[in-house]
Short mmCIF file of all heavy atoms in Angstrom, two decimals:
data_model
loop_
_atom_site.label_atom_id
_atom_site.label_comp_id
_atom_site.label_asym_id
_atom_site.label_seq_id
_atom_site.Cartn_x
_atom_site.Cartn_y
_atom_site.Cartn_z
N THR A 1 1.43 1.49 -16.09
CA THR A 1 0.32 2.43 -16.06
C THR A 1 -0.93 1.71 -15.58
O THR A 1 -1.25 0.62 -16.08
CB THR A 1 0.06 3.05 -17.44
OG1 THR A 1 1.23 3.72 -17.89
CG2 THR A 1 -1.09 4.05 -17.38
N ILE A 2 -1.63 2.30 -14.62
CA ILE A 2 -2.85 1.72 -14.07
C ILE A 2 -4.03 2.55 -14.58
O ILE A 2 -4.01 3.79 -14.49
CB ILE A 2 -2.82 1.72 -12.54
CG1 ILE A 2 -1.57 0.98 -12.02
CG2 ILE A 2 -4.08 1.10 -11.96
CD1 ILE A 2 -1.29 1.22 -10.56
N ILE A 3 -5.04 1.88 -15.11
CA ILE A 3 -6.22 2.57 -15.63
C ILE A 3 -7.42 2.23 -14.76
O ILE A 3 -7.84 1.06 -14.71
CB ILE A 3 -6.51 2.19 -17.09
CG1 ILE A 3 -5.28 2.44 -17.96
CG2 ILE A 3 -7.69 2.96 -17.65
CD1 ILE A 3 -4.65 1.21 -18.50
N CYS A 4 -7.93 3.22 -14.04
CA CYS A 4 -9.10 2.98 -13.19
C CYS A 4 -9.69 4.32 -12.75
O CYS A 4 -9.02 5.35 -12.80
CB CYS A 4 -8.74 2.15 -11.96
SG CYS A 4 -7.59 2.93 -10.82
N GLU A 5 -10.94 4.28 -12.33
CA GLU A 5 -11.57 5.46 -11.74
C GLU A 5 -11.31 5.49 -10.23
O GLU A 5 -11.04 6.55 -9.66
CB GLU A 5 -13.08 5.42 -12.00
CG GLU A 5 -13.48 5.47 -13.47
CD GLU A 5 -13.19 6.81 -14.12
OE1 GLU A 5 -13.22 7.85 -13.42
OE2 GLU A 5 -12.93 6.82 -15.34
N LEU A 6 -11.40 4.34 -9.61
CA LEU A 6 -11.15 4.16 -8.19
C LEU A 6 -10.50 2.80 -7.97
O LEU A 6 -10.72 1.88 -8.75
CB LEU A 6 -12.47 4.23 -7.39
CG LEU A 6 -13.16 5.60 -7.31
CD1 LEU A 6 -14.52 5.45 -6.66
CD2 LEU A 6 -12.31 6.59 -6.52
N PRO A 7 -9.67 2.66 -6.92
CA PRO A 7 -9.29 3.66 -5.93
C PRO A 7 -8.28 4.67 -6.47
O PRO A 7 -7.69 4.45 -7.53
CB PRO A 7 -8.65 2.80 -4.82
CG PRO A 7 -8.05 1.65 -5.57
CD PRO A 7 -9.03 1.35 -6.68
N LYS A 8 -8.06 5.74 -5.74
CA LYS A 8 -7.07 6.73 -6.12
C LYS A 8 -5.67 6.15 -5.95
O LYS A 8 -5.34 5.62 -4.88
CB LYS A 8 -7.22 8.00 -5.28
CG LYS A 8 -8.55 8.73 -5.48
CD LYS A 8 -8.68 9.25 -6.91
CE LYS A 8 -9.94 10.06 -7.09
NZ LYS A 8 -10.14 10.49 -8.50
N ILE A 9 -4.86 6.23 -6.99
CA ILE A 9 -3.54 5.61 -6.97
C ILE A 9 -2.48 6.54 -6.38
O ILE A 9 -1.52 6.08 -5.75
CB ILE A 9 -3.14 5.19 -8.40
CG1 ILE A 9 -4.18 4.22 -8.97
CG2 ILE A 9 -1.75 4.55 -8.41
CD1 ILE A 9 -4.37 2.95 -8.15
N GLY A 10 -2.64 7.85 -6.56
CA GLY A 10 -1.61 8.81 -6.15
C GLY A 10 -1.07 8.62 -4.75
O GLY A 10 0.16 8.58 -4.56
N PRO A 11 -1.93 8.45 -3.73
CA PRO A 11 -1.41 8.31 -2.37
C PRO A 11 -0.58 7.05 -2.15
O PRO A 11 0.13 6.93 -1.15
CB PRO A 11 -2.69 8.28 -1.51
CG PRO A 11 -3.72 8.94 -2.35
CD PRO A 11 -3.40 8.56 -3.76
N HIS A 12 -0.69 6.08 -3.06
CA HIS A 12 -0.01 4.79 -2.88
C HIS A 12 1.11 4.56 -3.90
O HIS A 12 1.75 3.51 -3.89
CB HIS A 12 -1.04 3.65 -3.01
CG HIS A 12 -2.26 3.84 -2.15
ND1 HIS A 12 -2.26 3.62 -0.80
CD2 HIS A 12 -3.51 4.27 -2.48
CE1 HIS A 12 -3.46 3.88 -0.32
NE2 HIS A 12 -4.24 4.28 -1.31
N ARG A 13 1.34 5.54 -4.76
CA ARG A 13 2.27 5.35 -5.88
C ARG A 13 3.69 5.01 -5.41
O ARG A 13 4.31 4.07 -5.90
CB ARG A 13 2.29 6.62 -6.74
CG ARG A 13 3.15 6.51 -7.99
CD ARG A 13 3.46 7.89 -8.56
NE ARG A 13 2.28 8.75 -8.60
CZ ARG A 13 1.44 8.81 -9.61
NH1 ARG A 13 1.65 8.05 -10.67
NH2 ARG A 13 0.40 9.63 -9.57
N GLU A 14 4.21 5.80 -4.45
CA GLU A 14 5.60 5.58 -4.05
C GLU A 14 5.78 4.25 -3.32
O GLU A 14 6.78 3.56 -3.50
CB GLU A 14 6.08 6.75 -3.17
CG GLU A 14 6.17 8.07 -3.90
CD GLU A 14 7.00 7.96 -5.19
OE1 GLU A 14 8.09 7.38 -5.14
OE2 GLU A 14 6.53 8.45 -6.24
N GLN A 15 4.79 3.87 -2.51
CA GLN A 15 4.87 2.56 -1.84
C GLN A 15 4.85 1.45 -2.88
O GLN A 15 5.56 0.44 -2.75
CB GLN A 15 3.72 2.39 -0.86
CG GLN A 15 3.80 1.09 -0.06
CD GLN A 15 2.60 0.87 0.84
OE1 GLN A 15 1.70 1.72 0.91
NE2 GLN A 15 2.56 -0.25 1.54
N MET A 16 4.06 1.63 -3.93
CA MET A 16 3.99 0.64 -4.99
C MET A 16 5.33 0.54 -5.73
O MET A 16 5.82 -0.55 -6.04
CB MET A 16 2.87 1.02 -5.97
CG MET A 16 2.26 -0.13 -6.73
SD MET A 16 0.91 0.41 -7.81
CE MET A 16 -0.23 1.09 -6.60
N ARG A 17 5.93 1.70 -6.02
CA ARG A 17 7.24 1.71 -6.69
C ARG A 17 8.26 0.94 -5.86
O ARG A 17 9.04 0.14 -6.38
CB ARG A 17 7.73 3.14 -6.92
CG ARG A 17 7.01 3.93 -7.98
CD ARG A 17 7.59 5.32 -8.08
NE ARG A 17 8.95 5.30 -8.61
CZ ARG A 17 9.89 6.21 -8.33
NH1 ARG A 17 9.61 7.19 -7.48
NH2 ARG A 17 11.07 6.13 -8.87
N ARG A 18 8.27 1.21 -4.56
CA ARG A 18 9.24 0.54 -3.69
C ARG A 18 9.01 -0.96 -3.65
O ARG A 18 9.96 -1.74 -3.65
CB ARG A 18 9.18 1.14 -2.28
CG ARG A 18 9.69 2.57 -2.19
CD ARG A 18 9.92 2.99 -0.76
NE ARG A 18 8.69 3.10 0.00
CZ ARG A 18 7.96 4.20 0.10
NH1 ARG A 18 8.34 5.29 -0.54
NH2 ARG A 18 6.87 4.23 0.82
N ALA A 19 7.74 -1.38 -3.60
CA ALA A 19 7.44 -2.81 -3.55
C ALA A 19 7.88 -3.51 -4.83
O ALA A 19 8.46 -4.60 -4.80
CB ALA A 19 5.95 -3.02 -3.31
N ILE A 20 7.61 -2.89 -5.98
CA ILE A 20 8.01 -3.48 -7.26
C ILE A 20 9.53 -3.52 -7.36
O ILE A 20 10.12 -4.52 -7.80
CB ILE A 20 7.41 -2.69 -8.43
CG1 ILE A 20 5.88 -2.82 -8.43
CG2 ILE A 20 7.97 -3.18 -9.78
CD1 ILE A 20 5.18 -1.88 -9.38
N ALA A 21 10.19 -2.43 -6.95
CA ALA A 21 11.65 -2.38 -6.99
C ALA A 21 12.26 -3.47 -6.12
O ALA A 21 13.24 -4.13 -6.52
CB ALA A 21 12.14 -1.01 -6.54
N GLU A 22 11.69 -3.69 -4.94
CA GLU A 22 12.22 -4.73 -4.05
C GLU A 22 12.02 -6.12 -4.67
O GLU A 22 12.93 -6.95 -4.63
CB GLU A 22 11.54 -4.65 -2.70
CG GLU A 22 12.08 -5.65 -1.69
CD GLU A 22 11.49 -5.47 -0.31
OE1 GLU A 22 10.73 -4.52 -0.11
OE2 GLU A 22 11.79 -6.30 0.58
N THR A 23 10.87 -6.36 -5.26
CA THR A 23 10.61 -7.65 -5.89
C THR A 23 11.60 -7.92 -7.02
O THR A 23 12.07 -9.05 -7.20
CB THR A 23 9.17 -7.69 -6.45
OG1 THR A 23 8.25 -7.57 -5.36
CG2 THR A 23 8.90 -9.00 -7.19
N CYS A 24 11.94 -6.87 -7.76
CA CYS A 24 12.80 -7.02 -8.94
C CYS A 24 14.27 -6.74 -8.65
O CYS A 24 15.10 -6.77 -9.56
CB CYS A 24 12.32 -6.10 -10.06
SG CYS A 24 10.64 -6.44 -10.60
N ALA A 25 14.61 -6.45 -7.37
CA ALA A 25 15.99 -6.12 -6.98
C ALA A 25 16.53 -4.97 -7.81
O ALA A 25 17.66 -5.01 -8.32
CB ALA A 25 16.89 -7.35 -7.09
#
């Protein structure tokens, strides 16, 4: 969970999921 006012996370959420998944196999 990310807590912040900015930047907006929604537009980048899926790319972030994919990057974390790749790092963790």
Side-chain angles (χ1 to χ4, degrees):
T1 301
I2 304 166
I3 305 113
C4 64
E5 297 291 330
L6 291 172
K8 296 296 184 184
I9 302 301
H12 309 283
R13 184 197 315 271
E14 294 308 313
Q15 184 185 358
M16 206 178 299
R17 288 180 68 209
R18 291 194 292 270
I20 295 169
E22 183 174 356
T23 297
C24 300

